[in-house]
Each structure stands twice: as C-alpha cells, then as structure tokens.
Amino acid sequence: KRESRGNTPSIALIGGVCVLAIVAASFAFAWNQSLQQTEGRFIYCLDDPYIHLAISKNLAHHGIWGVTPFAPSSASSSPFWTILLAGAILVGGNSVYFPLIFGMAFSTTATLVAYFQFLRRGVVPFHAGVGALILFAIGPLFMLPFTGMEHPLQVVLDLVFGFWLLDVLGR
C-alpha cells in the first residue's frame, strides 16, 4: 500500500507515542485533581461502580449474580462490564481500582483507534493526532474513567463498529 502525504510508519509511530503521552498526562492531572477534592481518598462520583463491583465479586467468589452472595439479583445495567470486572477480581483480587483501570485502558484504546484509523484514511499524522485528541477531550474520554462506568468500553466498540461500517460502505 502506498504511503500518502508523508505518512511513514516511523512518523506515525512517533505521533502515536505523542498522543499516548498526552493521554497519560491528562489522566495524571485528573487523578491529582480527584485526590485533591477528596482529601487523598479515591472515590467514584456514582454508586453504580460499587454495585458492579459487588456483583462482580460475588460472581467471582460465589458464582452468584447479585449484590449479596446469598441470592441472585439483577442490579447491573451492563452485564459484559460486570463479567469483565469479575474476571479481574478472580485474577487480581478485590480492588476498587479495576473500573478506573479498565476505563483508562479503554479511553486510551479509543483515542489510539481514532488516531490510527485517521492515518489509515490518509490524514497526516499531526492532524490525525489533533483529531484523536479532540475526540479524547470532547468525548470526554479523559474524565469518563473516573466515573467507574462502562462508557469508555462503549466508545471503543462504537468507534470500531463505525470505522468498520465506513470501510464496508466505502467498498
């Protein structure tokens, strides 16, 4: 495949690293601001992450889909997210940080998917990076992980589906 408008693999990789560095710096800044607002203790702004974690813990340890280990109850609005958290709990133990970690990972993934898809469509690396970071900012993918919800995962799935649809329609 012919490289267009100066999109060499090394320039594209450098651009990806720059995008990744800005994303990481944004998360570090948001983390710092979050801890300053809560006297150094990390908490989610919603109760939903704690509900997901309770169901995930009971699923991982007791095989029960519920907020208690004694009876099933369907209080999760996102079964896939809950199963993902249950897998993390099974492997890494109980941690309130799993939703945050997954949220940051999926927000980063969404930003990089956008960057590399823009490059694939012939956008120069600088503009692809700016476009991906605009998505990160207005998404707002820089803050969604701190809600502890599944929304960054949904954004990744939407982007993958959307770019796939563009490819299919482009044929």
Side-chain angles (χ1 to χ4, degrees):
K1 183 178 175 181
R2 183 172 68 79
E3 299 295 333
S4 62
R5 299 197 283 185
N7 285 357
T8 63
S10 60
I11 296 296
L13 185 60
I14 290 169
V17 169
C18 289
V19 167
L20 194 58
I22 292 169
V23 166
S26 298
F27 285 146
F29 178 77
W31 172 258
N32 185 45
Q33 292 300 306
S34 174
L35 293 182
Q36 284 184 8
Q37 298 297 316
T38 58
E39 298 176 357
R41 183 171 176 210
F42 179 72
I43 56 171
Y44 295 108
C45 59
L46 304 168
D47 63 346
D48 293 36
Y50 300 105
I51 294 168
H52 287 292
L53 284 168
I55 295 170
S56 299
K57 180 184 70 169
N58 289 319
L59 182 62
H61 296 308
H62 306 289
I64 298 290
W65 187 280
V67 292
T68 70
F70 308 111
S73 62
S74 185
S76 174
S77 58
S78 181
F80 183 66
W81 183 251
T82 303
I83 291 169
L84 185 65
L85 291 174
I89 289 170
L90 205 54
V91 172
N94 295 333
S95 176
V96 72
Y97 297 107
F98 286 138
L100 176 69
I101 292 166
F102 282 132
M104 287 180 172
F106 288 123
S107 286
T108 303
T109 300
T111 306
L112 291 175
V113 163
Y115 173 73
F116 286 109
Q117 286 294 324
F118 292 157
L119 289 178
R120 188 169 168 252
R121 283 159 174 71
V123 176
V124 294
F126 177 78
H127 294 146
V130 169
L133 290 171
I134 287 172
L135 171 74
F136 180 73
I138 66 172
L141 293 172
F142 68 99
M143 287 307 297
L144 282 177
F146 293 91
T147 67
M149 297 295 290
E150 70 278 0
H151 301 104
L153 171 60
Q154 182 67 45
V155 172
V156 169
L157 296 175
D158 290 344
L159 283 174
V160 168
F161 176 75
F163 283 119
W164 171 82
L165 188 60
L166 285 174
D167 288 343
V168 168
L169 292 175
R171 291 186 212 141

PDB file of all heavy atoms in Angstrom, residues 91-112:
ATOM      1  N   VAL A  91      -8.656 -12.879  39.024  1.00  0.00           N
ATOM      2  CA  VAL A  91      -7.216 -12.920  38.786  1.00  0.00           C
ATOM      3  C   VAL A  91      -6.444 -12.042  39.776  1.00  0.00           C
ATOM      4  O   VAL A  91      -5.408 -12.446  40.300  1.00  0.00           O
ATOM      5  CB  VAL A  91      -6.894 -12.480  37.337  1.00  0.00           C
ATOM      6  CG1 VAL A  91      -5.402 -12.316  37.122  1.00  0.00           C
ATOM      7  CG2 VAL A  91      -7.474 -13.456  36.344  1.00  0.00           C
ATOM      8  N   GLY A  92      -6.952 -10.820  40.032  1.00  0.00           N
ATOM      9  CA  GLY A  92      -6.180  -9.854  40.805  1.00  0.00           C
ATOM     10  C   GLY A  92      -6.692  -9.538  42.188  1.00  0.00           C
ATOM     11  O   GLY A  92      -6.152  -8.657  42.843  1.00  0.00           O
ATOM     12  N   GLY A  93      -7.743 -10.202  42.632  1.00  0.00           N
ATOM     13  CA  GLY A  93      -8.301  -9.914  43.951  1.00  0.00           C
ATOM     14  C   GLY A  93      -9.237  -8.723  43.912  1.00  0.00           C
ATOM     15  O   GLY A  93      -9.445  -8.106  42.867  1.00  0.00           O
ATOM     16  N   ASN A  94      -9.820  -8.399  45.048  1.00  0.00           N
ATOM     17  CA  ASN A  94     -10.771  -7.294  45.127  1.00  0.00           C
ATOM     18  C   ASN A  94     -10.027  -5.961  45.099  1.00  0.00           C
ATOM     19  O   ASN A  94      -9.099  -5.751  45.870  1.00  0.00           O
ATOM     20  CB  ASN A  94     -11.590  -7.378  46.420  1.00  0.00           C
ATOM     21  CG  ASN A  94     -12.479  -8.594  46.455  1.00  0.00           C
ATOM     22  OD1 ASN A  94     -12.884  -9.105  45.425  1.00  0.00           O
ATOM     23  ND2 ASN A  94     -12.779  -9.069  47.650  1.00  0.00           N
ATOM     24  N   SER A  95     -10.453  -5.084  44.212  1.00  0.00           N
ATOM     25  CA  SER A  95      -9.858  -3.752  44.158  1.00  0.00           C
ATOM     26  C   SER A  95     -10.881  -2.772  43.612  1.00  0.00           C
ATOM     27  O   SER A  95     -11.524  -3.033  42.602  1.00  0.00           O
ATOM     28  CB  SER A  95      -8.616  -3.731  43.267  1.00  0.00           C
ATOM     29  OG  SER A  95      -8.132  -2.401  43.160  1.00  0.00           O
ATOM     30  N   VAL A  96     -11.002  -1.659  44.278  1.00  0.00           N
ATOM     31  CA  VAL A  96     -11.911  -0.606  43.834  1.00  0.00           C
ATOM     32  C   VAL A  96     -11.367   0.078  42.576  1.00  0.00           C
ATOM     33  O   VAL A  96     -12.094   0.793  41.893  1.00  0.00           O
ATOM     34  CB  VAL A  96     -12.144   0.409  44.977  1.00  0.00           C
ATOM     35  CG1 VAL A  96     -10.924   1.268  45.209  1.00  0.00           C
ATOM     36  CG2 VAL A  96     -13.365   1.254  44.719  1.00  0.00           C
ATOM     37  N   TYR A  97     -10.113  -0.173  42.249  1.00  0.00           N
ATOM     38  CA  TYR A  97      -9.475   0.494  41.115  1.00  0.00           C
ATOM     39  C   TYR A  97      -9.715  -0.179  39.761  1.00  0.00           C
ATOM     40  O   TYR A  97      -9.403   0.407  38.733  1.00  0.00           O
ATOM     41  CB  TYR A  97      -7.967   0.629  41.357  1.00  0.00           C
ATOM     42  CG  TYR A  97      -7.650   1.485  42.549  1.00  0.00           C
ATOM     43  CD1 TYR A  97      -7.183   0.935  43.728  1.00  0.00           C
ATOM     44  CD2 TYR A  97      -7.839   2.861  42.499  1.00  0.00           C
ATOM     45  CE1 TYR A  97      -6.901   1.730  44.832  1.00  0.00           C
ATOM     46  CE2 TYR A  97      -7.569   3.665  43.586  1.00  0.00           C
ATOM     47  CZ  TYR A  97      -7.097   3.091  44.748  1.00  0.00           C
ATOM     48  OH  TYR A  97      -6.824   3.886  45.837  1.00  0.00           O
ATOM     49  N   PHE A  98     -10.251  -1.388  39.740  1.00  0.00           N
ATOM     50  CA  PHE A  98     -10.451  -2.079  38.460  1.00  0.00           C
ATOM     51  C   PHE A  98     -11.302  -1.279  37.473  1.00  0.00           C
ATOM     52  O   PHE A  98     -10.928  -1.164  36.301  1.00  0.00           O
ATOM     53  CB  PHE A  98     -11.020  -3.483  38.653  1.00  0.00           C
ATOM     54  CG  PHE A  98     -10.018  -4.477  39.172  1.00  0.00           C
ATOM     55  CD1 PHE A  98     -10.371  -5.386  40.144  1.00  0.00           C
ATOM     56  CD2 PHE A  98      -8.711  -4.502  38.690  1.00  0.00           C
ATOM     57  CE1 PHE A  98      -9.460  -6.312  40.633  1.00  0.00           C
ATOM     58  CE2 PHE A  98      -7.785  -5.419  39.165  1.00  0.00           C
ATOM     59  CZ  PHE A  98      -8.164  -6.329  40.141  1.00  0.00           C
ATOM     60  N   PRO A  99     -12.436  -0.713  37.880  1.00  0.00           N
ATOM     61  CA  PRO A  99     -13.199   0.080  36.902  1.00  0.00           C
ATOM     62  C   PRO A  99     -12.405   1.274  36.365  1.00  0.00           C
ATOM     63  O   PRO A  99     -12.493   1.602  35.180  1.00  0.00           O
ATOM     64  CB  PRO A  99     -14.421   0.554  37.694  1.00  0.00           C
ATOM     65  CG  PRO A  99     -14.575  -0.434  38.795  1.00  0.00           C
ATOM     66  CD  PRO A  99     -13.175  -0.849  39.140  1.00  0.00           C
ATOM     67  N   LEU A 100     -11.622   1.906  37.227  1.00  0.00           N
ATOM     68  CA  LEU A 100     -10.792   3.030  36.804  1.00  0.00           C
ATOM     69  C   LEU A 100      -9.730   2.573  35.812  1.00  0.00           C
ATOM     70  O   LEU A 100      -9.521   3.198  34.765  1.00  0.00           O
ATOM     71  CB  LEU A 100     -10.133   3.686  38.020  1.00  0.00           C
ATOM     72  CG  LEU A 100      -9.164   4.824  37.724  1.00  0.00           C
ATOM     73  CD1 LEU A 100      -9.909   6.043  37.181  1.00  0.00           C
ATOM     74  CD2 LEU A 100      -8.386   5.181  38.972  1.00  0.00           C
ATOM     75  N   ILE A 101      -9.063   1.478  36.125  1.00  0.00           N
ATOM     76  CA  ILE A 101      -8.004   0.956  35.249  1.00  0.00           C
ATOM     77  C   ILE A 101      -8.576   0.578  33.890  1.00  0.00           C
ATOM     78  O   ILE A 101      -8.025   0.943  32.843  1.00  0.00           O
ATOM     79  CB  ILE A 101      -7.296  -0.239  35.913  1.00  0.00           C
ATOM     80  CG1 ILE A 101      -6.504   0.229  37.132  1.00  0.00           C
ATOM     81  CG2 ILE A 101      -6.402  -0.969  34.914  1.00  0.00           C
ATOM     82  CD1 ILE A 101      -6.050  -0.885  38.053  1.00  0.00           C
ATOM     83  N   PHE A 102      -9.690  -0.156  33.895  1.00  0.00           N
ATOM     84  CA  PHE A 102     -10.317  -0.531  32.623  1.00  0.00           C
ATOM     85  C   PHE A 102     -10.799   0.708  31.871  1.00  0.00           C
ATOM     86  O   PHE A 102     -10.660   0.791  30.653  1.00  0.00           O
ATOM     87  CB  PHE A 102     -11.478  -1.494  32.840  1.00  0.00           C
ATOM     88  CG  PHE A 102     -11.059  -2.912  33.113  1.00  0.00           C
ATOM     89  CD1 PHE A 102     -11.614  -3.612  34.166  1.00  0.00           C
ATOM     90  CD2 PHE A 102     -10.126  -3.544  32.318  1.00  0.00           C
ATOM     91  CE1 PHE A 102     -11.245  -4.928  34.423  1.00  0.00           C
ATOM     92  CE2 PHE A 102      -9.742  -4.854  32.560  1.00  0.00           C
ATOM     93  CZ  PHE A 102     -10.295  -5.556  33.622  1.00  0.00           C
ATOM     94  N   GLY A 103     -11.361   1.656  32.589  1.00  0.00           N
ATOM     95  CA  GLY A 103     -11.824   2.878  31.945  1.00  0.00           C
ATOM     96  C   GLY A 103     -10.694   3.634  31.277  1.00  0.00           C
ATOM     97  O   GLY A 103     -10.822   4.107  30.137  1.00  0.00           O
ATOM     98  N   MET A 104      -9.561   3.741  31.974  1.00  0.00           N
ATOM     99  CA  MET A 104      -8.407   4.412  31.382  1.00  0.00           C
ATOM    100  C   MET A 104      -7.882   3.635  30.175  1.00  0.00           C
ATOM    101  O   MET A 104      -7.518   4.221  29.146  1.00  0.00           O
ATOM    102  CB  MET A 104      -7.303   4.585  32.418  1.00  0.00           C
ATOM    103  CG  MET A 104      -7.590   5.642  33.436  1.00  0.00           C
ATOM    104  SD  MET A 104      -6.207   5.758  34.601  1.00  0.00           S
ATOM    105  CE  MET A 104      -6.682   7.200  35.527  1.00  0.00           C
ATOM    106  N   ALA A 105      -7.843   2.319  30.305  1.00  0.00           N
ATOM    107  CA  ALA A 105      -7.355   1.492  29.189  1.00  0.00           C
ATOM    108  C   ALA A 105      -8.265   1.637  27.964  1.00  0.00           C
ATOM    109  O   ALA A 105      -7.776   1.789  26.836  1.00  0.00           O
ATOM    110  CB  ALA A 105      -7.275   0.028  29.615  1.00  0.00           C
ATOM    111  N   PHE A 106      -9.572   1.624  28.172  1.00  0.00           N
ATOM    112  CA  PHE A 106     -10.493   1.739  27.038  1.00  0.00           C
ATOM    113  C   PHE A 106     -10.528   3.161  26.477  1.00  0.00           C
ATOM    114  O   PHE A 106     -10.677   3.340  25.265  1.00  0.00           O
ATOM    115  CB  PHE A 106     -11.887   1.245  27.411  1.00  0.00           C
ATOM    116  CG  PHE A 106     -11.970  -0.244  27.558  1.00  0.00           C
ATOM    117  CD1 PHE A 106     -12.407  -0.808  28.746  1.00  0.00           C
ATOM    118  CD2 PHE A 106     -11.600  -1.086  26.526  1.00  0.00           C
ATOM    119  CE1 PHE A 106     -12.473  -2.185  28.890  1.00  0.00           C
ATOM    120  CE2 PHE A 106     -11.659  -2.462  26.661  1.00  0.00           C
ATOM    121  CZ  PHE A 106     -12.095  -3.024  27.845  1.00  0.00           C
ATOM    122  N   SER A 107     -10.383   4.168  27.316  1.00  0.00           N
ATOM    123  CA  SER A 107     -10.303   5.547  26.810  1.00  0.00           C
ATOM    124  C   SER A 107      -9.055   5.731  25.959  1.00  0.00           C
ATOM    125  O   SER A 107      -9.096   6.360  24.890  1.00  0.00           O
ATOM    126  CB  SER A 107     -10.287   6.548  27.963  1.00  0.00           C
ATOM    127  OG  SER A 107     -11.544   6.659  28.549  1.00  0.00           O
ATOM    128  N   THR A 108      -7.954   5.173  26.419  1.00  0.00           N
ATOM    129  CA  THR A 108      -6.711   5.230  25.659  1.00  0.00           C
ATOM    130  C   THR A 108      -6.860   4.465  24.346  1.00  0.00           C
ATOM    131  O   THR A 108      -6.447   4.944  23.281  1.00  0.00           O
ATOM    132  CB  THR A 108      -5.547   4.654  26.487  1.00  0.00           C
ATOM    133  OG1 THR A 108      -5.449   5.391  27.713  1.00  0.00           O
ATOM    134  CG2 THR A 108      -4.232   4.714  25.742  1.00  0.00           C
ATOM    135  N   THR A 109      -7.458   3.290  24.424  1.00  0.00           N
ATOM    136  CA  THR A 109      -7.680   2.488  23.220  1.00  0.00           C
ATOM    137  C   THR A 109      -8.542   3.235  22.214  1.00  0.00           C
ATOM    138  O   THR A 109      -8.231   3.260  21.020  1.00  0.00           O
ATOM    139  CB  THR A 109      -8.333   1.139  23.582  1.00  0.00           C
ATOM    140  OG1 THR A 109      -7.464   0.433  24.476  1.00  0.00           O
ATOM    141  CG2 THR A 109      -8.600   0.299  22.347  1.00  0.00           C
ATOM    142  N   ALA A 110      -9.607   3.868  22.675  1.00  0.00           N
ATOM    143  CA  ALA A 110     -10.483   4.626  21.777  1.00  0.00           C
ATOM    144  C   ALA A 110      -9.717   5.741  21.083  1.00  0.00           C
ATOM    145  O   ALA A 110      -9.865   5.958  19.871  1.00  0.00           O
ATOM    146  CB  ALA A 110     -11.668   5.194  22.551  1.00  0.00           C
ATOM    147  N   THR A 111      -8.877   6.432  21.827  1.00  0.00           N
ATOM    148  CA  THR A 111      -8.096   7.535  21.260  1.00  0.00           C
ATOM    149  C   THR A 111      -7.110   7.012  20.224  1.00  0.00           C
ATOM    150  O   THR A 111      -6.970   7.589  19.134  1.00  0.00           O
ATOM    151  CB  THR A 111      -7.356   8.293  22.376  1.00  0.00           C
ATOM    152  OG1 THR A 111      -8.303   8.689  23.374  1.00  0.00           O
ATOM    153  CG2 THR A 111      -6.650   9.519  21.843  1.00  0.00           C
ATOM    154  N   LEU A 112      -6.446   5.901  20.525  1.00  0.00           N
ATOM    155  CA  LEU A 112      -5.482   5.336  19.579  1.00  0.00           C
ATOM    156  C   LEU A 112      -6.170   4.723  18.365  1.00  0.00           C
ATOM    157  O   LEU A 112      -5.644   4.802  17.243  1.00  0.00           O
ATOM    158  CB  LEU A 112      -4.584   4.316  20.279  1.00  0.00           C
ATOM    159  CG  LEU A 112      -3.614   4.914  21.289  1.00  0.00           C
ATOM    160  CD1 LEU A 112      -2.854   3.813  22.034  1.00  0.00           C
ATOM    161  CD2 LEU A 112      -2.647   5.877  20.626  1.00  0.00           C
TER     162      LEU A 112
END
